[in-house]
Amino acid sequence: MNSPKPVDGGDELNLYESRKTVHNQRIDGPFRRFKWFVMLVTLGIYYVTPWLRWDRGPYAPDQAVLIDLANRRFYMFGIEIWPHEFYFVAGLLIMAGIGLFLVTSAVGRAWCGYACPQTVWTDLFQHVDRFVDGDRNARIRLDKAPWGPAKVARRGFKWSIYLVISLITGGAWILYFADAPTLFRDFFTLQADPVAYATVGILTATTFVFGGFMREQVCVYMCPWPRIQTAMLDEKSLIVTYKDWRGEKRGSVKKAAKNPDEFGDCIDCNQCVAVCPTGIDIREGQQIGCITCALCIDACDRVMKEVGRPRGLIDYATLEACDAEAEGAPPQPAWKALLRPRTIAYTLIWASIGGAMLFALGVRSHTDLSVSPDRNPPFMLLSDGSVRNAYTLKLRNMESRPRDMEIALSGLPGAMMWTDTIGPDNAARTQIVAVPADATKTVRAYVKASSGTAAQDFSFILTSQDEQRESDEAPTRFTAGEEGQ
Amino acid sequence: MMADKPSDGKRIDDPTGTELVGHEWDGIEELNTPLPRWWLWTFYLTIIWSAVYVVLYPAWPLIEKGTEGVLGWSSRGDLIDEMGAADAARQTFREQLAAIDVDKLRDNPDLLQQALAGGQAAFKVNCTQCHGSGAAGNQKLGYPNLNDDDWIWGGDLDAIHYTIAHGIRQDEDNGLRQGVMPAFDGAFDAAQLDAVTDHVLSLSKKAQSNAIGAQLYADNCVACHGASGEGDRAQGAPRLDDAIWLRGGSRAEIKAQILNPKMGAMPGWEERLDPATVKMLTAYVHSLGGGEQTVANTADDPVTEPEVDGDEQP
């Protein structure tokens, strides 16, 4: 290893450090309970969603949320997204981005602290640690203990629980992409697609390694978000802060009782460090390892209560309020930090995108027609002297039932139309074409106008032959050549 | 920057309490904030990985060609494999197509769809030189338009198939496509030529007929082109009573064609292409918009033959 020696000689510098395992202590409090609640909700959504059913009739899958890559459809309860409507997904992503800005500007890294998958699964694995090995002190003891049969058995047991959780995690992911019960059965009878096994394998491995072993290192070294967040935080954002003007100088209860003027409220019990899932000391100020999960607030508040001092030595507060408090201002209620021009602007942008998407969802048609005229050749002279143009029509039926569609000519007086299957003998101004459920049907349509018809614009009009009578108009052009060919 | 020197040789930066590495630039010293060890091992792994990769796969560009790698893998090899696999996958389709009668293709939609795609590709390679990429032909040069509803030798699947397979006016091929129009240069004087041209134009209602022209037409042309100019597909005599003229419908063009008829030739493709490709071409040409029903099929098909006698006017 390339380790330069210090200039004056001595021990080798430590340029690479092995991970210092974080043995965080169990804690209870309002924020811990909120964390439990968020974990329950997010994991619940993740594991349960693929199993929800949604009756879409006989022609479409009955899974409530399904990303059907093979057929290029995205189903979400009553909403069905086609590839050309992918802007809905883009809109959702933009909303997620702005939502993240909103949350960050209002409450700092709350996403990191409560809802980020890395946080949720790390938390889960830490509870497994606690369940198998005991709480902080027992785990530290076990870590230091030499390897023996008992430790091997304990570690094996713990890691196999990790593995089961990881497998369920990776397994649930693929259920979003195919019919869940069928895939579940196929998976265990070894009939599923190799892609399914590969995906589960990769996700199991990443969950096992990231959640079980890398933990806070993912946040500190791998995740780009802590580096970006500084651009979104300001002195008006709610973050977890240690009020050093109140805490310092640290000293035990006994010392403080003897010399109350010299010592602050912090009794240096290190509880805030012991409970931290990323192993940092919040009293050193804002740092990249802090995911603002607020477990240190729970710990500190409990200690303050025990020693009879006011809560909030470590608290969710804005840096501005902290400074004001240090100057002697009364503490500001947290909700005030949420209402300010910046958060309101983000909320308005976020809501207007959401509103626009809802509106677009509400008015979108399930019938769509697009027309491309043949350009090679642009027109065709027939033996009776009439002129024929050919068009490729795409008839889209975005409903999960087959529908008859009427194609009609609008404009182009005297013209007739037929298709490959209808045939020129049945030429007419309107034709009915059956379009299968949830499908785009490509139809080649021939339009014939009598000899002498001039080149002109006209439209095809598609109308669904059901009670909705949805229609779509596609303007195009009729091409004609010179006379006498 | 201030740094004390404890006895163990470690130098600590006072304001941060962090160890110094000993690098100094203009009085600024580098602090030691160690990276995790797994990070280092990951880095070593990437080095090992790259070394293994260089041995296994093509990597170093040399003067003539690059190193090849012990696995013998190449992207060109991948391409050849994939082309081979695609060929093999097409083989069943080709066998199916070779086994089926061309007029039965319509009963097998999957096969028909593949045949149309294959036919389109084969058309682009073999036929566009004369008939144009859109199959619209070329009136100046006398290459027929394949999109319209006028067929000199017949427009059902069997007729098209025969035409493609045997070509037109191929001496070495003793097939049926041998129509010949005699030259009337010297046989008609100028007045007679005008008269017969007028009569020919009158068949498609573009001029007034006249007695001399009608008589000349009856004597010289009826045998092939028919009394009302309906043509004769058996001999490849074009219709004269419709709006489509292979070599132009102006008076001058018609006169030129009577005096010194030009007759196009088309190679027979049976010798050059395999039977499956000829069938695919047939299906494709038939699908261009003017294809006619095979006569045998019309009996049980409600859609009758689209070729009708010139009054399809709406």
Side-chain angles (χ1 to χ4, degrees):
Chain A
M1 205 193 302
N2 179 22
S3 304
K5 305 217 167 205
V7 277
D8 53 355
D11 293 343
E12 278 202 352
L13 274 172
N14 198 10
L15 292 179
Y16 297 95
E17 263 181 349
S18 49
R19 176 179 180 243
K20 293 186 184 70
T21 314
V22 176
H23 298 288
N24 65 327
Q25 190 164 321
R26 207 179 76 82
I27 184 69
D28 188 34
F31 291 106
R32 175 66 255 185
R33 284 195 288 274
F34 181 61
K35 216 165 145 66
W36 277 119
F37 170 73
V38 175
M39 186 203 260
L40 207 71
V41 170
T42 50
L43 288 181
I45 289 173
Y46 178 68
Y47 288 119
V48 172
T49 304
W51 298 97
L52 301 177
R53 303 277 97 188
W54 190 269
D55 186 13
R56 289 191 186 87
Y59 299 101
D62 287 341
Q63 187 157 322
V65 176
L66 178 67
I67 302 162
D68 191 351
L69 291 179
N71 299 309
R72 284 173 288 175
R73 296 282 183 281
F74 176 55
Y75 301 94
M76 187 155 177
F77 300 98
I79 302 169
E80 180 185 332
I81 304 285
W82 282 47
H84 70 279
E85 294 175 309
F86 202 73
Y87 52 81
F88 282 119
V89 179
L92 276 182
L93 289 176
I94 295 170
M95 283 180 78
I98 294 175
L100 210 49
F101 298 170
L102 169 62
V103 168
T104 305
S105 71
V107 287
R109 294 176 67 186
W111 165 262
C112 299
Y114 301 99
C116 171
Q118 174 66 20
T119 296
V120 171
W121 266 278
T122 297
D123 204 21
L124 193 62
F125 282 117
Q126 279 168 344
H127 291 304
V128 173
D129 289 352
R130 211 162 277 141
F131 168 72
V132 177
D133 296 339
D135 207 11
R136 177 176 156 88
N137 293 333
R139 292 212 303 280
I140 292 175
R141 263 202 311 280
L142 185 69
D143 237 20
K144 284 185 181 154
W147 283 92
K151 187 168 170 178
V152 168
R154 214 177 253 275
R155 282 287 139 94
F157 179 51
K158 187 170 81 173
W159 289 343
S160 49
I161 297 179
Y162 283 4
L163 200 62
V164 170
I165 294 174
S166 305
L167 194 65
I168 299 171
T169 305
W173 180 255
I174 59 170
L175 300 180
Y176 284 85
F177 296 86
D179 183 59
T182 314
L183 182 60
F184 191 74
R185 193 181 58 237
D186 288 352
F187 190 84
F188 288 104
T189 51
L190 302 181
Q191 287 168 341
D193 199 272
V195 173
Y197 293 103
T199 310
V200 171
I202 290 169
L203 290 178
T204 303
T206 49
T207 311
F208 187 69
V209 173
F210 286 1
F213 299 93
M214 306 232 2
R215 296 192 175 171
E216 81 285 348
Q217 304 191 99
V218 173
C219 310
V220 175
Y221 294 99
M222 298 164 90
C223 178
W225 183 234
R227 286 152 181 84
I228 301 168
Q229 58 141 347
T230 44
M232 274 156 232
L233 287 173
D234 56 23
E235 69 283 356
K236 290 180 162 65
S237 305
L238 269 184
I239 48 175
V240 174
T241 44
Y242 166 66
K243 294 173 180 167
D244 52 357
W245 52 270
R246 189 186 135 189
E248 303 295 324
K249 177 181 173 196
R250 302 169 199 171
S252 66
V253 180
K254 265 186 209 163
K255 279 190 199 165
K258 269 186 218 159
N259 206 343
D261 290 340
E262 195 186 336
F263 291 99
D265 279 351
C266 177
I267 60 166
D268 214 6
C269 63
N270 267 322
Q271 281 299 296
C272 52
V273 180
V275 298
C276 180
T278 63
I280 60 156
D281 187 346
I282 189 65
R283 295 171 301 175
E284 289 170 4
Q286 294 304 304
Q287 50 205 293
I288 205 166
C290 178
I291 56 171
T292 69
C293 65
L295 294 186
C296 51
I297 302 181
D298 278 345
C300 191
D301 282 353
R302 175 200 282 217
V303 170
M304 288 296 112
K305 194 177 174 189
E306 275 171 19
V307 300
R309 290 173 186 172
R311 68 164 295 278
L313 176 57
I314 303 173
D315 205 358
Y316 262 117
T318 69
L319 291 178
E320 200 179 60
C322 265
D323 288 346
E325 263 188 79
E327 302 287 321
Q332 191 197 33
W335 62 265
K336 276 198 174 170
L338 301 180
L339 288 179
R340 58 195 180 104
R342 192 169 153 174
T343 55
I344 291 169
Y346 280 140
T347 311
L348 285 179
I349 297 170
W350 186 84
S352 56
I353 296 174
M357 279 181 34
L358 283 179
F359 178 75
L361 266 181
V363 300
R364 72 178 178 154
S365 168
H366 294 97
T367 301
D368 185 73
L369 173 69
S370 64
V371 172
S372 59
D374 272 17
R375 307 231 179 265
N376 183 16
F379 66 90
M380 186 58 46
L381 191 68
L382 295 187
S383 52
D384 61 359
S386 56
V387 181
R388 187 190 77 202
N389 280 203
Y391 301 86
T392 304
L393 310 183
K394 286 198 186 318
L395 280 52
R396 224 178 245 137
N397 173 20
M398 296 190 270
E399 291 210 344
S400 50
R401 54 178 173 150
R403 289 195 292 177
D404 281 343
M405 302 273 188
E406 181 197 76
I407 318 168
L409 294 175
S410 163
L412 207 62
M416 293 291 188
M417 155 177 60
W418 69 92
T419 70
D420 275 336
T421 45
I422 288 168
D425 285 353
N426 300 314
R429 296 278 299 172
T430 63
Q431 300 289 2
I432 304 279
V433 174
V435 185
D438 245 332
T440 301
K441 182 161 184 170
T442 304
V443 171
R444 222 172 121 74
Y446 300 101
V447 174
K448 188 172 86 167
S450 54
S451 161
T453 304
Q456 56 190 285
D457 292 330
F458 75 104
S459 298
F460 286 99
I461 294 177
L462 185 72
T463 313
S464 70
Q465 300 298 295
D466 54 8
E467 65 285 350
Q468 289 163 291
R469 293 199 70 81
E470 292 178 323
S471 76
D472 190 26
E473 179 169 354
T476 184
R477 189 166 173 80
F478 187 81
T479 314
E482 324 98 85
E483 274 293 280
Q485 273 196 302
Chain B
M1 191 174 278
M2 295 290 290
D4 54 6
K5 290 183 183 180
S7 53
D8 65 355
K10 285 189 179 173
R11 295 168 61 249
I12 303 295
D13 174 54
D14 282 340
T16 59
T18 310
E19 194 183 357
L20 292 157
V21 290
H23 302 154
E24 183 183 329
W25 294 271
D26 291 340
I28 300 171
E29 286 203 70
E30 185 182 346
L31 300 182
N32 181 20
T33 43
L35 276 171
R37 199 166 285 278
W38 60 260
W39 192 96
L40 178 73
W41 285 114
T42 310
F43 178 57
Y44 286 161
L45 270 178
T46 61
I47 294 174
I48 295 167
W49 172 269
S50 64
V52 172
Y53 188 94
V54 164
V55 173
L56 293 182
Y57 289 97
W60 289 106
L62 303 176
I63 293 167
E64 287 291 316
K65 54 192 287 199
T67 56
E68 285 182 348
V70 297
L71 286 186
W73 180 92
S74 72
S75 52
R76 181 172 293 272
D78 263 9
L79 176 70
I80 291 167
D81 287 351
E82 275 177 36
M83 303 245 294
D87 270 350
R90 271 198 294 269
Q91 196 50 42
T92 5
F93 158 65
R94 285 182 166 277
E95 280 162 13
Q96 279 180 312
L97 198 63
I100 199 170
D101 271 353
V102 72
D103 58 342
K104 296 285 184 293
L105 256 181
R106 289 160 55 103
D107 306 331
N108 192 335
D110 284 344
L111 203 56
L112 178 66
Q113 204 182 356
Q114 293 198 58
L116 288 178
Q120 187 173 28
F123 189 89
K124 290 217 153 54
V125 174
N126 299 295
C127 313
T128 55
Q129 291 83 348
C130 296
H131 291 286
S133 61
N138 184 325
Q139 200 178 60
K140 293 272 179 301
L141 300 173
Y143 300 127
N145 187 336
L146 305 178
N147 294 284
D148 63 23
D149 58 348
D150 191 30
W151 297 91
I152 299 170
W153 297 99
D156 63 34
L157 282 163
D158 284 332
I160 294 172
H161 185 254
Y162 191 92
T163 303
I164 295 173
H166 297 274
I168 306 288
R169 301 187 184 92
Q170 294 298 304
D171 291 337
E172 69 271 24
D173 191 307
N174 54 0
L176 301 171
R177 308 288 193 248
Q178 292 283 2
V180 174
M181 165 135 172
F184 290 89
D185 200 2
F188 295 151
D189 60 30
Q192 286 175 316
L193 184 60
D194 274 338
V196 79
T197 304
D198 271 343
H199 183 75
V200 167
L201 279 168
S202 78
L203 297 175
S204 52
K205 302 180 181 62
K206 293 228 172 65
Q208 286 292 320
S209 182
N210 58 80
I212 301 170
Q215 187 57 48
L216 286 169
Y217 183 86
D219 292 346
N220 297 292
C221 314
V222 164
C224 297
H225 291 289
S228 59
E230 71 272 19
D232 181 3
R233 288 178 172 184
Q235 314 177 56
R239 304 178 67 122
L240 303 177
D241 62 350
D242 62 10
I244 295 174
W245 297 89
L246 181 56
R247 291 176 186 275
S250 73
R251 188 173 288 270
E253 284 165 328
I254 292 172
K255 280 182 184 175
Q257 194 61 11
I258 294 171
L259 294 177
N260 284 303
K262 295 181 207 149
M263 287 166 291
M266 171 168 123
W269 294 94
E270 206 173 36
E271 304 295 319
R272 300 154 206 250
L273 300 173
D274 60 286
T277 307
V278 173
K279 282 180 187 172
M280 291 193 282
L281 278 172
T282 305
Y284 175 67
V285 169
H286 187 264
S287 77
L288 286 169
E292 296 168 358
Q293 292 283 340
T294 304
V295 181
N297 278 3
T298 42
D300 49 8
D301 200 322
V303 180
T304 49
E305 201 176 53
E307 175 80 2
V308 284
D309 285 323
D311 54 342
E312 258 189 1
Q313 296 291 340

